[in-house]
């Protein structure tokens, strides 16, 4: 099992970045997408590509070190093409909230990936970004994403639910092609045409059994436009919101949302992935601090 955490000191993870699986933590059993490889030292440092990127291997977690080029250390702003392509040993990854773009093919064929945290800073999910990620069962797309690329989740057969926030203005062709395990899709826009969704986006999704959840009063609008009208079961129980921290859905961020969050933590209310306000992968007291600071304008 390997977990990748991208620190905020990394500038750009690109196609030459290597994900590695280990043999008992001592030697790499395979390397993926290396342009140039150097031997592992006793400290398990690996230099890759003509940019001489550095990756540090630990066990059981794989944590890339800061990327330094010509003596300058950069912070993560994007995850480039093929960055973690075919990293089948990768099980989870946390993306820092400085990242705005997940590039094309970034996690393609990461079949072992079961968990990924996408922060509210991300605005674009590239083509085939999660293509073939059969281990993913659900993914929370934050209310910052505006574009979901072609084939973005193609063949992610383990996905059972997905939310499409009302920030999205473009959904590419075959975006969810072959997601045969989907049972619930939450579309949070009240006007489906604003998604600019390609008619092939849900090709080979079981639209006869998968429930499409839409905001109250918008069912007829979804039934009148492709590809949304392909779904046989459309229910009006999705709550649209322009603000992820509006946990109680009253249209504003206030003390009521703190109460809702505390109840989630105490098990008195069902937890929502949207309640992970600090992006650490779980709903806990850290999210309460984040929410209170937001209310106070900090």
């Amino acid at each position: 099992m390997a977990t990748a955490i991208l620190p905020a000191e990394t500038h750009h993870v690109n196609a030459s970045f290597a994900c590695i699986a280990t043999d008992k933590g001592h030697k790499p059993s395979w390397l993926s997408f290396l342009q140039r490889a150097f031997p592992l030292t006793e400290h398990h440092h690996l230099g890759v590509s003509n940019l001489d990127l550095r990756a540090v291997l630990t066990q059981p977690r794989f944590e890339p070190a800061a990327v330094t080029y010509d003596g300058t250390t950069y912070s993560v702003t994007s995850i480039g093409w093929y960055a973690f392509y075919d990293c089948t040993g990768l099980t989870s990854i946390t993306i820092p909230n400085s990242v705005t773009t997940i590039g094309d093919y970034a996690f393609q064929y990461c079949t072992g990936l079961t968990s990924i945290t996408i922060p509210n800073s991300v605005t674009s999910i590239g083509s085939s970004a999660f293509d073939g990620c059969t281990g993913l069962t659900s993914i929370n797309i934050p209310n910052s994403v505006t574009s979901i690329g072609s084939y973005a989740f193609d063949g992610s057969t383990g996905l059972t639910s997905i939310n499409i926030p009302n920030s999205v203005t473009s959904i590419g062709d075959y975006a969810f092609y072959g997601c045969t395990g989907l049972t619930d899709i939450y579309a949070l826009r009240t006007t489906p045409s604003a998604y600019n969704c390609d008619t092939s986006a849900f090709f080979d999704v079981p639209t006869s059994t998968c429930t499409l959840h839409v905001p109250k009063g918008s069912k007829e609008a979804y039934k009148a436009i492709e590809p949304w009208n392909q779904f046989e079961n459309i229910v009006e129980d999705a709550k649209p919101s322009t603000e992820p921290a509006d946990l109680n859905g009253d249209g504003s961020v206030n003390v009521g949302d703190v109460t809702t969050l505390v109840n989630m933590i105490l098990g008195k209310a069902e937890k929502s992935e949207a309640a992970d306000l600090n992006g650490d992968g779980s709903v806990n007291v850290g999210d309460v601090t984040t929410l209170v600071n937001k209310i106070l304008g900090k």
Side-chain angles (χ1 to χ4, degrees):
M1 181 180 72
T3 300
I5 299 178
L6 304 182
E9 289 78 21
T10 310
H11 173 58
H12 178 79
V13 181
N14 65 7
S16 59
F17 184 84
C19 220
I20 57 183
T22 64
D23 178 13
K24 298 181 180 179
H26 298 296
K27 296 179 180 179
S29 57
W30 55 268
L31 304 176
S32 175
F33 251 79
L34 285 178
Q35 291 180 354
R36 187 178 70 196
F38 301 87
L40 288 174
T41 69
E42 60 182 350
H43 301 294
H44 298 115
H45 282 238
L46 177 66
V48 297
S49 89
N50 57 353
L51 294 181
D52 195 24
L53 303 181
R54 299 291 174 185
V56 180
L57 173 66
T58 61
Q59 184 68 14
R61 300 167 69 87
F62 178 47
E63 303 183 6
V67 171
T68 301
Y69 179 56
D70 280 351
T72 302
T73 299
Y74 301 90
S75 60
V76 172
T77 57
S78 64
I79 299 176
W81 287 22
Y82 295 100
F84 293 90
Y85 174 88
D86 202 27
C87 291
T88 56
L90 188 64
T91 58
S92 65
I93 188 164
T94 299
I95 301 172
N97 59 13
S98 55
V99 170
T100 60
T101 303
I102 298 175
D104 298 351
Y105 315 102
F107 297 96
Q108 188 178 39
Y109 303 141
C110 289
T111 54
L113 189 63
T114 59
S115 173
I116 185 165
T117 300
I118 301 177
N120 289 332
S121 57
V122 172
T123 60
S124 175
I125 298 175
S127 298
S128 297
F130 296 96
D131 179 2
C133 292
T134 55
L136 280 177
T137 57
S138 66
I139 190 166
N140 183 52
I141 300 175
N143 198 35
S144 56
V145 171
T146 60
S147 174
I148 299 174
S150 302
Y151 296 92
F153 297 93
D154 172 22
S156 295
T157 55
L159 276 177
T160 58
S161 67
I162 194 162
N163 71 297
I164 306 175
N166 52 14
S167 58
V168 172
T169 57
S170 175
I171 301 176
D173 55 303
Y174 299 99
F176 300 97
Y177 173 42
C179 292
T180 54
L182 278 173
T183 59
D184 296 277
I185 296 175
Y186 295 83
L188 303 184
R189 275 194 174 276
T190 55
T191 306
S193 60
Y195 276 129
N196 293 301
C197 185
D198 190 273
T199 56
S200 65
F202 301 105
F203 187 80
D204 209 22
V205 168
T207 53
S208 61
T209 57
C210 179
T211 299
L212 176 63
H213 303 261
V214 302
K216 186 176 180 179
S218 64
K219 180 177 179 177
E220 293 304 315
Y222 277 88
K223 288 175 64 176
I225 188 172
E226 291 188 354
W228 309 102
N229 59 6
Q230 298 169 9
F231 292 88
E232 296 181 14
N233 189 23
I234 302 177
V235 296
E236 295 181 336
D237 62 356
K239 291 183 178 180
S241 178
T242 58
E243 173 52 68
D246 178 21
L247 299 178
N248 63 3
D250 66 356
S252 64
V253 179
N254 49 45
V255 177
D257 299 301
V258 177
T259 301
T260 299
L261 180 55
V262 170
N263 284 337
M264 288 181 184
I265 294 171
L266 295 177
K268 295 181 179 180
E270 184 177 353
K271 286 186 178 180
S272 166
E273 290 182 356
D276 179 21
L277 300 175
N278 63 3
D280 66 354
S282 63
V283 178
N284 50 45
V285 292
D287 300 301
V288 176
T289 301
T290 299
L291 179 55
V292 169
N293 286 337
K294 187 175 184 65
I295 293 172
L296 295 177
K298 296 180 179 181

